[in-house]
Amino acid sequence: MKGKFVVTALAVVLFSSFAAHAQSTEGKTPDLDERCEMQADRLELDLKLEPWQTFRVDSTLKAVYHGMTDEINDMQAAKIGNTSLYQQVQDKWLDRLDEAYMKIFTEDQWNEYLKRGAARLRKARDKRREKLEQSAVQKKK
């Protein structure tokens, strides 16, 4: 029960940015690849990406989200119920996404990407990571 809740909660978080742009095609919900394509298209418009950048963003999104989904599904299959472990997996993959974006975007595009909410999300991940490290240090004492 806990595992299903965690996966559902993570799915809501992961795809919240897609929700505004998700359109039903013939009454069906877009799959992960379609959502990645929509996100890449949105970033192309918002950041004025070149076609090669859009292609790389789309490929990166698909690789990251499929990797994250696979890892979360494996954890769920192993019946891992600790929600912080799921959050760590999500943070790890989203950090990889940001690292890839830094290589793809120009400095101006990167700054615009951060202004549009990515900086807040990065800061939240850093806070969670710091809190986790502090609790690990306290357990060792």
Side-chain angles (χ1 to χ4, degrees):
M1 180 73 172
K2 239 185 196 182
K4 288 181 182 178
F5 172 75
V6 170
V7 171
T8 302
L10 284 174
V12 168
V13 170
L14 289 175
F15 302 117
S16 63
S17 64
F18 296 130
H21 295 84
Q23 296 176 353
S24 295
T25 340
E26 297 175 17
K28 77 171 197 173
T29 304
D31 67 4
L32 183 59
D33 286 342
E34 291 170 333
R35 291 178 186 194
C36 290
E37 291 166 9
M38 288 188 294
Q39 178 72 359
D41 291 343
R42 186 186 64 79
L43 287 171
E44 179 180 32
L45 294 174
D46 291 348
L47 305 178
K48 298 172 181 64
L49 300 179
E50 296 292 326
W52 69 267
Q53 290 175 304
T54 304
F55 175 78
R56 290 197 53 204
V57 165
D58 179 57
S59 301
T60 302
L61 281 167
K62 288 176 182 176
V64 166
Y65 281 117
H66 280 288
M68 182 177 4
T69 301
D70 291 345
E71 192 168 345
I72 288 173
N73 288 340
D74 291 345
M75 291 173 67
Q76 184 181 14
K79 301 203 185 296
I80 295 174
N82 185 341
T83 56
S84 67
L85 293 176
Y86 287 91
Q87 186 67 56
Q88 289 173 26
V89 168
Q90 180 183 6
D91 288 349
K92 174 184 77 172
W93 285 98
L94 293 177
D95 285 340
R96 288 183 184 177
L97 182 64
D98 280 351
E99 289 170 14
Y101 280 173
M102 284 175 52
K103 294 175 185 175
I104 298 169
F105 297 159
T106 64
E107 187 175 340
D108 290 339
Q109 290 168 333
W110 176 251
N111 290 332
E112 182 64 26
Y113 173 71
L114 292 175
K115 284 180 192 175
R116 292 181 177 263
R120 180 178 42 84
L121 298 173
R122 287 174 58 111
K123 186 175 181 179
R125 289 195 307 265
D126 290 341
K127 281 184 179 182
R128 283 191 297 269
R129 193 174 358 268
E130 184 178 311
K131 185 177 177 181
L132 183 65
E133 289 171 2
Q134 287 176 352
S135 67
V137 169
Q138 288 177 351
K139 287 182 180 180
K140 287 184 178 181
K141 291 182 181 182

